[in-house]
Amino acid sequence: MNRFHRALPWIALVLGVVYLAAQYPMRTATTGFDFGAFGRIPVSAEGRTKPLDTVARTNLMLLSSKQSLRTDSGRLGAIEWLADVMAGDDASRTHKAFRVDHPDVVSLLGRDAEGGKMFSYNELLPYFQELGEQVMRASQTQPNERTPYAKAVIQLERRVMRFMELAQGSHPFAIAPLGDGQQWTPITQHTPPHTPGVGDVGGSTSAAALSRIFNAYLADDHQTFNHEVYAYLDLVAGELPGATRRSALEVVFNDARPFIHGMVLYIAAFMIACVSFLLDAGSRRELARALGRTAIVLIALAFVVHTFGLGTRIYLQGRPPVTNLYSSAIFIGWGTVAAGAFIERMFPIKVAAIASSAIGFTTLIVAHNLGGSGDTMEMMQAVLDSNFWLTTHVITITLGYSATFLAGFLATMFILLGLFTKRLDAETKTAIGRMVYGVICFALLLSFVGTVLGGIWADQSWGRFWGWDPKENGALLIVIMNALIIHAKMSGMVREQGMMILAISGNIVTAFSWFGTNMLGVGLHSYGFMDSAAMWLMLFIASQVFLMCLGAIPTNKWRS
């Protein structure tokens, strides 16, 4: 092995670290407003303390599906946009922050399809009365019976209401409890009746400090603005040190965007691992092995970034890693990559590396799309407010999801390699067969134990162990599916090919239990009701059915 081959993994590691460092924004305030410090100011919203930076990002995402805006003078960051809105700057009403996708709603607002989808508050203002009438009509129908147009006008109305809450100071609760017996309160409780905007607040130490900050901002006095922000952060840190530390860390977390950059590293590792696997059968085995080690190094780096993001969320929430659909996607990907690394060490043929990096990337993509609906660390539902059961039942059942998905993706590789390449030799076939069978055994154990623990939790919360709730049925289907695969294999009813087809069907059952039951909107587990992902779920199921059909092709037709 030459020097280049030995150095290749180290080169990839250095490049990966350089990439991560280059993506972290360096905030300086030597010549202007220190929006980085302003974004660290802690406030209360959605049942938790968070920095203004998070409020800015989540609300701009709600309004525009983006975390920055394009203006005539360049890109406007979320925190700059929020400063305009909260201070009552007239510019906030001219920023095109409202995204409208439905063509009929765009037409309602007096614009044709070529005019663009982004609107400012001032552009929407003349159509408020007509929009209100449309919202009233749409609200008279049940949510599951509303047309896409009705959903679009209601969504726009909610976006306008959120903008007005931010502009008037009713959201977030920005006045900090700096004295005994005080609580977080909105700015509106401290605004003099004669004051039309948020820029002038008073009535408490915190309110007076915010008033000076906003007034300096409106006066375009960045030196006074920065001085008042620093003084206020010191004041809050003295009274609320824990909230200040968490807010500062959350800003670092927001800037680092670990899950976005984890996706990039996972997809790079996936591509390199695929090249390594394909070259390993040819004459360039030294290069293939070097690329294989490179892929492992990148997966390890991505896993570290993934773990940093997951661990930071745990610390900020004070909760176990899985509390909602978004965090479940993050944790499923994390668990799959961890299991894939262990399997790759036992069977170093790059198959587990390819499968785990693909799942890591896919689950982070899913989480990214789930994160566009607001704060992903919102307050828990009251019935779920139990760290013990979140740690036992939820983590166990989610790890069962991870294992079942990993088995299904390994089975997918078995079928694709056998059908389209000559790489599925006897050794590889046996190795993948052992991987899939072992992972399914663990999936059965985890899903069964997690389901039983869920029943015990349900008995404590709702007074019954089992109620045939859609989510409960989905969990039971995963247990039955994994048990069926093991039984079929042990009894000789299927061999490797049949086991792979059944393992892929486990992906369908798991996806339904994970997402499909939430889309039904019924049952005691429908906390994360959503319907926007229905099309993607159907496409995923269709793809798995297609793969099962490919797997059913007689092996004498396979290239291997």
Side-chain angles (χ1 to χ4, degrees), residues 525-546:
H525 291 81
S526 58
Y527 304 112
F529 173 68
M530 53 182 296
D531 58 2
S532 59
M535 180 187 71
W536 296 106
L537 178 62
M538 293 300 103
L539 288 175
F540 175 77
I541 292 175
S543 71
Q544 300 307 292
V545 172
F546 177 70

Side-chain angles (χ1 to χ4, degrees), residues 316-329:
L316 292 175
Q317 284 188 284
R319 297 286 188 182
V322 182
T323 56
N324 53 24
L325 278 175
Y326 175 89
S327 58
S328 71

Side-chain angles (χ1 to χ4, degrees), residues 38-276:
F38 178 70
R40 292 197 300 272
I41 292 177
V43 296
S44 179
E46 281 84 33
R48 73 179 185 94
T49 304
K50 65 180 74 171
L52 279 176
D53 183 78
T54 297
V55 174
R57 291 172 186 264
T58 55
N59 282 282
L60 188 56
M61 181 70 74
L62 280 172
L63 268 61
S64 67
S65 302
K66 298 179 181 179
Q67 291 191 2
S68 64
L69 295 177
R70 183 179 299 171
T71 65
D72 294 337
S73 57
R75 301 298 298 185
L76 185 71
I79 190 63
E80 291 100 319
W81 168 79
L82 183 65
D84 283 349
V85 175
M86 294 186 68
D89 194 325
D90 291 339
S92 65
R93 295 171 176 260
T94 64
H95 296 322
K96 294 184 180 296
F98 297 89
R99 181 184 178 96
V100 181
D101 290 306
H102 199 284
D104 291 341
V105 181
V106 173
S107 178
L108 173 70
L109 300 173
R111 184 183 294 180
D112 55 27
E114 289 75 21
K117 299 180 178 179
M118 302 303 296
F119 293 79
S120 68
Y121 181 85
N122 284 345
E123 289 173 324
L124 296 176
L125 189 58
Y127 302 95
F128 275 6
Q129 181 176 353
E130 189 171 359
L131 179 63
E133 294 173 356
Q134 296 295 326
V135 169
M136 187 176 297
R137 292 194 189 99
S139 301
Q140 292 173 355
T141 60
Q142 295 296 322
N144 58 346
E145 298 177 355
R146 289 171 186 164
T147 64
Y149 173 80
K151 294 177 181 178
V153 294
I154 290 176
Q155 181 186 56
L156 178 57
E157 189 256 354
R158 289 173 178 170
R159 288 174 173 176
V160 172
M161 292 300 296
R162 174 50 59 91
F163 177 85
M164 294 175 66
E165 289 173 355
L166 291 169
Q168 294 170 1
S170 59
H171 179 88
F173 284 23
I175 307 303
L178 302 181
D180 294 338
Q182 295 184 8
Q183 296 180 339
W184 288 98
T185 54
I187 291 176
T188 49
Q189 291 190 15
H190 302 264
T191 303
H194 63 276
T195 305
V198 178
D200 184 18
V201 291
S204 74
T205 303
S206 176
L210 288 175
S211 177
R212 292 192 295 270
I213 291 172
F214 291 134
N215 287 332
Y217 183 76
L218 291 173
D220 200 26
D221 184 353
H222 63 84
Q223 291 184 343
T224 302
F225 175 87
N226 294 344
H227 172 75
E228 293 296 341
V229 168
Y230 303 150
Y232 182 62
L233 285 173
D234 291 338
L235 175 65
V236 177
E239 297 292 334
L240 304 170
T244 305
R245 285 195 303 269
R246 286 193 297 273
S247 292
L249 176 61
E250 189 164 344
V251 172
V252 172
F253 173 79
N254 292 340
D255 285 339
R257 299 189 299 169
F259 303 128
I260 295 292
H261 302 313
M263 280 192 286
V264 174
L265 294 173
Y266 279 134
I267 196 63
F270 170 78
M271 296 172 66
I272 294 172
C274 288
V275 173
S276 170

Side-chain angles (χ1 to χ4, degrees), residues 236-477:
V236 177
E239 297 292 334
L240 304 170
T244 305
R245 285 195 303 269
R246 286 193 297 273
S247 292
L249 176 61
E250 189 164 344
V251 172
V252 172
F253 173 79
N254 292 340
D255 285 339
R257 299 189 299 169
F259 303 128
I260 295 292
H261 302 313
M263 280 192 286
V264 174
L265 294 173
Y266 279 134
I267 196 63
F270 170 78
M271 296 172 66
I272 294 172
C274 288
V275 173
S276 170
F277 185 82
L278 294 175
L279 289 178
D280 200 31
S283 59
R284 310 188 71 177
R285 288 198 169 180
E286 287 191 3
L287 176 60
R289 292 172 183 173
L291 289 173
R293 286 192 294 273
T294 302
I296 297 300
V297 166
L298 288 179
I299 291 174
L301 181 60
F303 184 73
V304 169
V305 174
H306 199 154
T307 303
F308 163 74
L310 186 65
T312 303
R313 284 179 55 86
I314 294 172
Y315 172 76
L316 292 175
Q317 284 188 284
R319 297 286 188 182
V322 182
T323 56
N324 53 24
L325 278 175
Y326 175 89
S327 58
S328 71
I330 298 294
F331 188 70
I332 285 173
W334 183 86
T336 302
V337 174
F342 177 77
I343 295 172
E344 182 63 34
R345 186 173 180 84
M346 296 179 61
F347 301 95
I349 58 174
K350 312 304 179 297
V351 171
I354 293 172
S356 61
S357 58
I359 297 176
F361 170 77
T362 303
T363 52
L364 291 182
I365 282 284
V366 170
H368 177 71
N369 285 281
L370 289 173
S373 59
D375 188 2
T376 62
M377 292 186 276
E378 74 273 12
M379 186 177 181
M380 294 290 300
Q381 294 280 344
V383 72
L384 300 179
D385 193 4
S386 169
N387 279 358
F388 173 78
W389 289 113
L390 288 172
T391 304
T392 53
H393 160 64
V394 177
I395 287 182
T396 305
I397 203 76
T398 308
L399 288 174
Y401 291 174
S402 300
T404 309
F405 275 132
L406 180 57
F409 274 78
L410 289 171
T412 298
M413 290 194 62
F414 180 98
I415 291 173
L416 294 180
L417 290 173
L419 196 59
F420 299 110
T421 75
K422 296 183 178 180
R423 288 290 287 113
L424 192 66
D425 52 29
E427 181 181 355
T428 304
K429 179 180 178 181
T430 301
I432 298 178
R434 293 176 64 186
M435 290 182 203
V436 172
Y437 185 78
V439 171
I440 289 175
C441 289
F442 275 101
L444 174 61
L445 174 64
L446 291 167
S447 58
F448 175 75
V449 173
T451 302
V452 172
L453 290 172
I456 299 173
W457 188 9
D459 185 56
Q460 291 188 1
S461 298
W462 300 317
R464 90 289 189 278
F465 180 84
W466 194 265
W468 300 106
D469 186 90
K471 199 77 168 181
E472 295 169 354
N473 294 340
L476 179 61
L477 284 174

Side-chain angles (χ1 to χ4, degrees), residues 499-560:
M499 183 175 67
M500 301 305 163
I501 296 173
L502 291 174
I504 292 176
S505 69
N507 285 348
I508 298 175
V509 174
T510 307
F512 173 76
S513 178
W514 184 18
F515 275 102
T517 54
N518 291 79
M519 294 177 190
L520 298 175
V522 296
L524 295 172
H525 291 81
S526 58
Y527 304 112
F529 173 68
M530 53 182 296
D531 58 2
S532 59
M535 180 187 71
W536 296 106
L537 178 62
M538 293 300 103
L539 288 175
F540 175 77
I541 292 175
S543 71
Q544 300 307 292
V545 172
F546 177 70
L547 287 170
M548 293 170 65
C549 293
L550 290 179
I553 296 174
T555 53
N556 58 9
K557 304 293 184 181
W558 291 17
R559 290 196 65 191
S560 291

